Amino acid sequence: MSNTARAEAQPIIIKKKKVVHGDGHHGGAWKVAYADFVTAMMAFFLLMWLLNATTEQQRKGIADYFNPSIPISRVSGGGTDGLNGSSMFTEQTYANMGTGATQNRKVGSAGAENSPENNDESVTASLQQLTENLQESEGKLTEHLMVKLSPEGIILELVDSEDTPLFPLGTSQPSTLLNDLLTAVSDTFDLFDNNIKIVGHTDGTKFKRSESYNNWDLSVDRANTARRMLESKGISAGRLREVSGKADTEPLIPNDPLAPQNRRISLVILTN
């Protein structure tokens, strides 16, 4: 038989190969479920750790943060502040601190009122009351008052401005504005017994003849002027612990040494 006939007699076999993809282990959905399970376990162990590491009071505070349990009265207690209550600056509080009410009391009396914390609060409240009173009576004066805190105590800044200066430029003669400010301040200082420090400041403007008189002399002269004015308004000289001048070394606005706000008188109410 020829080769051609032999090839025609052989059967033709067709193999079909089945390929199974498996969809990546069911498309990876198990990974999402596993991640959720791990996250839940981490949250559970974190919760257990917090329960073991915190006190009952701390846990109650955390619970109150997410579910506040502070009752709010539906009936007003007559106040205008939060929870329909009265302000902390009530008649009794003012009477204790000497910052208002019908009877003045000095800071430094016997008992808990003599603590440094209450002392600072009473002085701050007095100065806040001063600014509020000035806003109601003469709002222009409040533009020249600034209250700051320092390690020594509370600083009441009497700040200059371009239009209404505390002193004429280059002199230590007081203006009407300074007299009005010190009058208001002296009335407030009568409410407590804290000692006072007076510091004069100038701007960066230099004198033409700085060898005979400069900003150091000017700042000291202005501080002394403020001292004499306070004493004339009834402030005891025994309460004045320091009268000094810093020239232009401590500007209120460091980026602008010539700013009028740098010309000021600092009255430090010593609470430390």
Side-chain angles (χ1 to χ4, degrees), residues 15-31:
K15 294 182 178 180
K16 294 183 178 180
K17 187 177 181 180
K18 185 177 180 181
V19 179
V20 179
H21 296 284
D23 295 330
H25 298 284
H26 304 286
W30 67 274
K31 297 179 181 179

Side-chain angles (χ1 to χ4, degrees), residues 112-134:
E113 296 175 4
N114 201 22
S115 64
E117 293 81 4
N118 290 339
N119 197 2
D120 293 351
E121 292 176 1
S122 63
V123 176
T124 304
S126 299
L127 298 179
Q128 290 177 348
Q129 187 68 26
L130 168 65
T131 56
E132 291 175 2
N133 292 340
L134 292 179

